[in-house]
Amino acid sequence: MKHMFVRCTSVFLFSALLLFTACKKGDTGPAGEKGDKGDAGAAGATGAAGKAGSANVIYSPWIDVTFNAVDTSFEASIDAPKIVDSIIQKGEVKVFWNINTQTAPAIVALPYQDNGLIFGAKDFYQFPIVQTGKIFIESTYNTSTRPSSSDANVKVWQYRYIIIPGGVGARSATDWNDYKQVQKYLGLKD
């Protein structure tokens, strides 16, 4: 009986060993049919309103401008290739003058007339003339960009223009001659 038990156990173990070593994984079968589309999920919560943007509005960096004497006044020009006929016909171009430094700006919109504040003369004026591809500035004084009187490495009297295409609505609450309001509305970074 003991031999029989050993023999049966040996046959059983040998059979089990053959079963495990002889088995192999078969080839992957074909993919099944695509299932039906599930039901749509519930709508998500409405997000917070976004900040007013400046889509299609174009603005320049602060630009160094050089004026030239012409008769009894001074003239300068700024290349502005994005000013095209459609902008002149239906849009708006605003020009701003920073009479101080970029770190401590004091910005005024053109046209600008001084009542003795900057030059001590009541006859000071500056106004832009916008044409296709250019902005001309007429001035009674030479207001070319120059080094600050306190730091030769810092500039004063730089200019920036903003092009507002005719299709971009301007909020009536925005005063387009107030640079701080324009900067906030358009999200301009200095």
Side-chain angles (χ1 to χ4, degrees):
M1 194 82 167
K2 191 176 182 185
H3 287 301
M4 179 105 147
F5 177 74
V6 171
R7 191 187 234 187
C8 285
T9 306
S10 296
V11 170
F12 177 72
L13 286 174
F14 181 71
S15 296
L17 182 65
L18 276 174
L19 180 66
F20 285 114
T21 59
C23 291
K24 70 173 189 167
K25 187 174 182 179
D27 295 331
T28 303
E33 291 183 34
K34 186 175 180 182
D36 294 333
K37 186 175 181 182
D39 294 331
T46 302
K51 196 175 164 187
S54 58
N56 300 326
V57 173
I58 301 164
Y59 59 94
S60 73
W62 287 103
I63 301 168
D64 294 348
V65 175
T66 302
F67 282 79
N68 297 304
V70 177
D71 297 326
T72 60
S73 65
F74 294 85
E75 293 179 356
S77 68
I78 299 171
D79 288 330
K82 301 266 182 179
I83 298 176
V84 294
D85 287 336
S86 62
I87 297 294
I88 292 174
Q89 307 270 327
K90 299 176 185 172
E92 177 77 26
V93 178
K94 297 301 294 179
V95 181
F96 294 94
W97 177 35
N98 184 358
I99 61 176
N100 207 6
T101 65
Q102 284 189 5
T103 56
I107 301 167
V108 297
L110 299 186
Y112 177 77
Q113 182 173 355
D114 186 81
N115 291 322
L117 179 66
I118 296 174
F119 294 101
K122 292 186 181 198
D123 65 343
F124 174 74
Y125 67 84
Q126 235 182 28
F127 64 88
I129 302 167
V130 178
Q131 295 182 358
T132 302
K134 281 210 179 285
I135 300 169
F136 296 95
I137 302 173
E138 182 86 20
S139 179
T140 51
Y141 286 89
N142 182 354
T143 55
S144 297
T145 303
R146 59 190 61 178
S148 165
S149 59
S150 60
D151 185 346
N153 296 318
V154 177
K155 295 177 181 178
V156 296
W157 296 357
Q158 290 183 307
Y159 295 79
R160 162 179 271 174
Y161 61 86
I162 298 174
I163 302 170
I164 307 156
V168 175
R171 291 184 183 171
S172 60
T174 301
D175 178 356
W176 289 91
N177 289 320
D178 181 335
Y179 184 74
K180 286 291 181 194
Q181 286 187 31
V182 172
Q183 183 183 34
K184 182 178 178 184
Y185 175 66
L186 297 177
L188 300 178
K189 306 285 185 227
D190 285 334

